[in-house]
Amino acid sequence: MEIKKLGISLIEVLVAIFIVGIVALSIAHLMTASALGTRDDILGMCAWQAALSGIEEVRGNRTLIGTNRNFTCILSNGTTNNMMNVQVTTRVIRGNISNTPPSEGSGINSCALVEARATLLNKNYTVRDMVCNFQ
């Protein structure tokens, strides 16, 4: 007489639970890593825009070279807003920007490579661009 096996054994159930647990942990890790990566991207974009604003301020007012400026980024998660302070420092890498533009045809260069460094959460983001004073 042959005995037919019906149902599943306890070992099969434990193996299935183990496999489902491994898959669930993997998906949870991917979701967490994605959320953290998105947050870092948003903060980096904010700091980069603050550094660009620092360059643009120097274009409008040469006396701001070498000063520290503070900008604010607002991070929103839909219900609350978090404000993050970004400190931007500008400096001349090379060249010279005169306060008055040189006369046309004088051959005097009035351009400089300016760096704006934005600091946010102990990370530095740097933007460099030419700033010129033309007539």
Side-chain angles (χ1 to χ4, degrees), residues 9 15 42 44 51 70 72 85 88 94 104 107 117 122 134:
S9 71
V15 169
I42 291 170
N70 289 316
T72 302
N85 289 324
V88 177
R94 73 170 172 268
E104 189 175 340
R117 177 169 294 188
N122 297 323
F134 297 116

Side-chain angles (χ1 to χ4, degrees), residues 7-109:
I8 55 176
S9 71
L10 181 59
I11 293 180
E12 290 171 326
V13 170
L14 291 174
V15 169
I17 290 173
F18 178 75
I19 292 172
V20 169
I22 295 291
V23 170
L25 285 175
S26 299
I27 291 172
H29 174 71
L30 287 174
M31 289 172 48
T32 303
S34 175
L36 291 175
T38 299
R39 180 180 179 271
D40 286 346
D41 287 347
I42 291 170
L43 291 175
M45 182 62 69
C46 171
W48 183 71
Q49 288 174 346
L52 286 175
S53 294
I55 294 280
E56 290 303 316
E57 281 189 336
V58 167
R59 280 195 174 101
N61 184 355
R62 310 291 185 284
T63 62
L64 293 176
I65 293 175
T67 61
N68 293 331
R69 306 276 295 154
N70 289 316
F71 293 87
T72 302
C73 294
I74 298 174
L75 302 176
S76 177
N77 64 5
T79 57
T80 60
N81 293 330
N82 294 325
M83 299 179 79
M84 307 289 290
N85 289 324
V86 182
Q87 185 179 36
V88 177
T89 305
T90 55
R91 69 183 182 115
V92 174
I93 302 296
R94 73 170 172 268
N96 182 26
I97 309 169
S98 62
N99 288 332
T100 58
S103 61
E104 189 175 340
S106 67
I108 298 173
N109 187 3

